[in-house]
Amino acid sequence: MTLLIQQLINAVELGSIYAMIAVGLALTYGVLRILHVAQAGIYAAGAYIGLFLYQVTGSFVLALAGSVILAGILGVLIERFVYRPMLPRPRIVALIASIGLLICFSDLFRILGGPNQLSFDIRSLNGSYGIGHLLISKADAAILGGTILIFVSLWFILQKTRLGFAVRAAAQDIETTEIMGINVSRSVSWMFFLSSAVAAFGGVMVGVLYNAVYPDMGDAIAYKGLALIVIGGFGSLTGTVIASFLLALTEVFMTTYTAVPLSREAIAMLFLVLLILIRPQGLLGKA
Amino acid sequence: MCMYCAMAGLQPASSDASIESSHRERNHRLTRRGFNAGLLAAGLGASSVARAADSQTIKIGTFGPFTGPAAGLGTEAKKGIEFAVAQANAKGGINGKKIQLVAYDDRANRAEAVSVVRKMIESDGVQVIVDGSVSLTSIAAAPVANDAKIPMVAAYSNAVGVVKGEDHVFRWASVADVQGYVIAHHAMRERKYKTFAVLMQDEEYGRGVVNGVEKAVEELKGKIVYKKPFAPGEREFRAIMTEIKTLGVDSVIMAGFSPSLTSAARIGYELEVFPKAQFYISCSATEINWYSGIGQYGNGTIASLEFLASTNHPFTKEFVAEYTKATGEKVVSHQAGLMYDSSRLVFDAIKRGGTKADGIWRALGETKSFMNLSGVDVKFTELREPLLPIALAGWDSASQNYKLVKFEKDEALIDPRPWYKYYK
């Protein structure tokens, strides 16, 4: 029983990390119908910015806040100067640009920070909390707390504010939303700011969790994030979050309770292929 | 024995062979000098000046992943060979000729490795290659060098397939299986452990190490109660460590690259799997990522290393002092150290065999033993593989360095030959 509960905790922790990346991708896809693969580059940029700020200031809180804000601005710049000029063109053009950006990010980090992983060791987040026989690492606990806070905030912004109303309206029909006098451009910029900030939070926390910030840290999360928004239902935020936790549960429990001689990555991909075969429209998508 | 051989701790197979190759080289140089004089006489001055300049240098090729996901390994390897070349050139080169390094990036990609090796042989005219790449790419590149009859020394590729069947390819590192075999013997014979969990990076290197572990555990009547593969670069081991914790094994043995080893060690300590169970890891334990990532964790972890930079041998101390001063690095990484030794091995072969591929190949083949940077004499087998003593070393968190547990020199354990039968 202890094993089951501990693995459930592990799965929730892993699912939180997936959700932080995938939710930004779902937001972008929902409104602009762009597969924003470069979101994984922003996730890595968040980690690098956070590490740099931590080295400069010595304060983790300042580093995290600074990283979230700067990555948010980076996201806005990408939307304004890369995606927006491409919107009249077929969506494949934006996708290719996005893949190119991700590769550029990775090489830029390699040039700036070197090819090896950099240490992001926050001593106060080392160690674990023990509850009976269960153990939760402090970094994991911080990720869990942060994820809850982020999703509650996102829900509030999307459901209870004018910005959220504009984003939801734009997701249904951009032209009509504009005709109704809503500043869609500004709403989209804010949406990029928010999704990039969430990704940066994920990047910083994962960097601390594994004590590793490295150039291609966005690579694996990029293709998993894409798969998650497809499974979630093409732009459905709730579907994407559910898919993130389902994927994490599958990885953890297939690893634990089956003798499948496959790595976690291979199990994840098998799961994604199976889900797409069973439900091509995604978990909460319409057929 | 020549002075250089004595310095390097090298014993040539036969002094006659050395004298013969020395004569061959002298004759070769005379012929080339005559050829250059003929060209000058024919009025082809510019060309001959270039050739004369060329004749004063020895081109050595190297390749490795200098960019891309495995760039950390390749750039470290490059530091090792660059330092060796600079050191040799500062001492006047080899037989009075300066060494010129021709280096190409293979991005850890098989096709790229084949392409760059072909290029350095066909366009650059290198006569010997020091392979600074991983097993995956070395396996792809080895037949190219072999077909062109250009000798190649694999510095840190551990897969049997790199050398097997390629008679111009040599290795300086151990065979992956040997590492697993040595680790399991230490665990069972000296620590009396019986039950094991095994984590295997799912590619040539990881599979090789685990093959060695499995054979030893079977022979010594132990039991592997848990075995999981993981993808290269994997960092998430919470589910696996949680499960291992419930099994209560005596030891966990892990084969993989340093990002995975580092992450597994940290998570294992956080979840209190270690130090209750003894953690053993493969040779990537001295990659830079381990030093930067392990932090306060990992104390007591035992690694199987192909050299140890923290020994008291005068040669090692001098090398470490010079290397750290020249490169600004705090540690001698796995790749840098093995490339340094591989380069010295090649320089020695050039010294004895001349600057042409055939002579270098013959001299490499005649090398019976060579002293590595830990000050240990390493014998060679007829399979062009070393009988490399494995340094079992324990990680000391306080000093952030490895401390020697023992040098495993038992030839029954470190012999690469028995492992060839497992690979086609």
Side-chain angles (χ1 to χ4, degrees), chain A residues 117 140 210-211 255 264, chain B residues 228 234-236 238 289 293:
Chain A
Q117 67 184 33
D140 277 324
Y210 299 120
N211 190 26
T255 303
R264 191 171 64 95
Chain B
K228 281 285 176 203
E234 178 64 271
R235 283 177 167 84
E236 179 48 54
R238 273 175 177 70
N289 292 323

Side-chain angles (χ1 to χ4, degrees), chain B residues 188 193-196 216-224:
Chain B
M188 298 188 74
Y193 299 143
K194 293 285 181 198
T195 56
F196 298 91
V217 170
E218 191 185 331
E219 284 169 22
L220 300 174
K221 312 285 184 216
K223 195 174 182 189
I224 293 173

